[in-house]
Amino acid sequence: AGERVDYATFVPDGEPTLDANLGQAITEIRKLGVKVAVISNGTLLWHDEVRSDLAQADWVSIKVDSVEPATWRRINRPARTLNLTTVTDGMKRFARDFGGYLATETMLVRGVNDGSEHVQAVGQFLAALSPACAYLSVPIRPPVMSWVQPPTEEALNCSYQTLAAHVSRVEYLIGY
């Protein structure tokens, strides 16, 4: 239709990095002169092949909801075999080597990861990643688990201020 495409985006309906052909797909799309974005939960970045595949993208967002193992498990419900330290080490290696636009997304859940100490720890970790932008989100769609609720406005504002002390650019993704 003659419209400009900003990015061809791999969006999780499942985790994009589980696709063994992700790197090849990124390469083929880029041959068309289209930038590629990938939104990932980041759990597989400890794999060399996954980091190599994602390194071909122009824009990558990785999810960082917690740096505390029990909280990470409660929010993200990862496979039992995944270890948070392994995951975060992979994120650090990816961030260190990635030449494109790196973003992070942190979803806050009331009473789970929206406390000041918790957000401070996430902010310190994000500072190590040095993303171009750290997005702060809240549950918007009806959650699977009934206990999942968005944080209070006060907690959300405090979290924003805390992350902004660690990362140069923080943006809300909290609704329409």
Side-chain angles (χ1 to χ4, degrees):
E3 294 184 33
R4 186 173 76 81
V5 175
D6 294 324
Y7 290 91
T9 306
F10 291 86
V11 181
D13 186 10
E15 172 55 29
T17 60
L18 287 170
D19 184 343
N21 297 311
L22 179 62
Q24 181 181 355
I26 292 171
T27 298
E28 294 303 316
I29 291 169
R30 292 198 71 206
K31 285 179 183 177
L32 299 172
V34 176
K35 291 182 180 179
V36 175
V38 180
I39 300 173
S40 172
N41 64 23
T43 57
L44 296 178
L45 288 172
W46 56 277
H47 284 286
D48 293 337
E49 307 82 38
V50 172
R51 287 194 314 277
S52 178
D53 287 348
L54 281 186
Q56 298 176 67
D58 300 285
W59 189 100
V60 173
S61 175
I62 54 177
K63 198 163 178 13
V64 183
D65 296 328
S66 179
V67 293
E68 194 281 314
T71 304
W72 174 69
R73 288 199 174 281
R74 185 167 183 208
I75 293 172
N76 298 125
R77 301 183 308 161
R80 281 182 231 143
T81 57
L82 286 174
N83 173 287
L84 182 58
T85 300
T86 302
V87 170
T88 55
D89 286 349
M91 290 178 178
K92 288 177 188 175
R93 285 195 305 269
F94 178 75
R96 181 190 64 224
D97 298 335
F98 183 54
Y101 188 97
L102 179 64
T104 61
E105 181 181 340
T106 302
M107 182 180 72
L108 296 178
V109 177
R110 183 182 303 174
V112 179
N113 68 336
D114 64 340
S116 61
E117 288 181 17
H118 193 93
V119 176
Q120 185 70 246
V122 169
Q124 290 169 350
F125 178 74
L126 295 182
L129 297 182
S130 192
C133 185
Y135 292 105
L136 196 53
S137 68
V138 300
I140 296 172
R141 295 179 296 222
V144 172
M145 308 304 284
S146 61
W147 55 264
V148 174
Q149 297 295 316
T152 64
E153 186 175 331
E154 179 182 354
L156 186 59
N157 183 37
C158 287
S159 297
Y160 179 95
Q161 300 303 325
T162 299
L163 292 186
H166 294 283
V167 179
S168 61
R169 182 172 168 208
V170 180
E171 290 186 23
Y172 284 128
L173 291 178
I174 56 174
Y176 299 103

